[in-house]
Amino acid sequence: MAAKAKRRTAEDEVLSAARRIAEVGGFTPRAVELMREDAAQLTIGGLPDGWGNGCSFDTGELKNALRDFPPLAKCSDAALEKYAERKRFVILAGDGDRTVSAAAAVSGLIAGGVLRLVVVTDTPAERDSLARFLNLSHAGGASLLSYASGDRIEDFVRAAEAWLASPAPGALILSRSTFCRRTNRLRRPYADTESPCAMIARATPVVVAAAQTVNEARALAKSASVFSPPAVFLAASDAKNIRDAVICRPVRRKKTAAVKNDEDGQIRM
């Protein structure tokens, strides 16, 4: 007897959608140089300092790929052209958990060839929740790095250098309070060289922004432009004021009313 086909979950849909965009982007590892206080490389012998994302998005190919996503099937050519040029993609959680959706997007992007990601959240609590979930789910094999307001900036810079030097995929997880303001430690020059944000931006990481509403996620993404992302993914629960390409909108489960057990009718029969 043939095995029954497994039904795709919302998490599967998110992972598949994110991977599809990454594959269209043609992501490959790219060698990057990291600035040090003495302007020297981290390694000797001509080896690269670190690794980042190389990508080759083609607007026409991306436009055709977007047309295949069910939420965008009826979009005009002009709208698809705008979405393809903007490279900002919306993932709606629907009835599911936004943390799970963001984690699935990370796994899908890594499966599609993305090497470096920055995941930004609205609150420290959501950052910690997402970090725990990514650890439990192994995040597509990515090494995880996070920064909290109380962490020593010296420790973070050393950890970030090691994170960038690794040829393995990696995701940096931040909350709004650590990078949005120009006065944040991550945005100020460190040891008379570039800021930690500028150092990470050399790797051109893809940004995944997770928030309750699409507006809040878009605001997070705007601040995360300091990382020079080649593409941005917005994971949100509220579907209002959408201005970007929705690549995943899980179907909401229908609530069915309980069937009344008509015992009296059965007895009369």
Side-chain angles (χ1 to χ4, degrees):
M1 183 177 177
K4 186 177 180 180
K6 182 182 177 181
R7 184 178 179 181
R8 279 166 59 94
T9 64
E11 187 177 355
D12 294 331
E13 292 178 24
V14 172
L15 194 152
S16 177
R19 179 172 183 170
R20 174 69 176 124
I21 296 295
E23 289 172 344
V24 172
F27 283 89
T28 56
R30 175 181 61 86
V32 297
E33 288 188 11
L34 306 179
M35 297 295 292
R36 298 302 302 276
E37 185 176 358
D38 56 3
Q41 288 184 314
L42 288 176
T43 59
I44 60 176
L47 297 176
D49 290 343
W51 297 95
N53 292 323
C55 68
S56 54
F57 270 111
D58 178 81
T59 301
E61 186 179 352
L62 179 56
K63 175 183 169 183
N64 291 333
L66 290 176
R67 198 190 306 276
D68 293 335
F69 291 104
L72 301 173
K74 297 181 180 179
C75 279
S76 65
D77 283 348
L80 292 174
E81 185 85 21
K82 179 180 65 177
Y83 295 153
E85 291 177 353
R86 189 178 293 167
K87 297 179 183 63
R88 200 162 61 197
F89 312 102
V90 178
I91 294 168
L92 298 175
D95 289 335
D97 189 318
R98 185 172 64 255
T99 295
V100 175
S101 294
V106 170
S107 296
L109 290 167
I110 291 172
V114 174
L115 190 71
R116 295 284 176 257
L117 298 106
V118 172
V119 185
V120 294
T121 66
D122 236 0
T123 65
E126 189 166 9
R127 176 202 62 211
D128 295 342
S129 175
L130 187 52
R132 284 194 298 270
F133 190 89
L134 286 170
N135 265 317
L136 290 172
S137 63
H138 305 295
S143 61
L144 303 180
L145 177 65
S146 62
Y147 175 78
S149 298
D151 293 346
R152 282 166 43 92
I153 192 66
E154 298 86 353
D155 296 338
F156 174 75
V157 169
R158 283 194 293 270
E161 287 174 345
W163 180 75
L164 290 167
S166 172
L172 169 63
I173 309 171
L174 302 171
S175 65
R176 173 191 294 276
S177 60
T178 58
F179 76 95
C180 279
R181 298 185 183 90
R182 293 183 181 275
T183 55
N184 287 140
R185 294 293 301 274
L186 293 186
R187 297 184 66 162
R188 301 206 310 257
Y190 171 74
D192 296 326
T193 61
E194 62 188 352
S195 69
C197 280
M199 179 179 69
I200 293 163
R202 288 176 174 272
T204 56
V206 171
V207 164
V208 176
Q212 172 63 32
T213 69
V214 173
N215 274 346
E216 291 168 347
R218 190 163 48 242
L220 274 174
K222 183 177 180 181
S223 295
S225 63
V226 69
F227 298 110
S228 302
V232 173
F233 292 77
L234 311 179
S237 300
D238 194 322
K240 296 178 181 178
N241 299 322
I242 298 175
R243 303 174 188 171
D244 305 295
V246 179
I247 61 172
C248 191
R249 187 198 298 268
V251 177
R252 290 188 178 275
R253 295 187 296 269
K254 293 182 179 179
K255 295 181 180 180
T256 55
V259 178
K260 183 178 179 181
N261 185 15
D262 189 6
E263 293 182 358
D264 292 341
Q266 294 178 21
I267 293 173
R268 286 195 297 272
M269 288 293 291

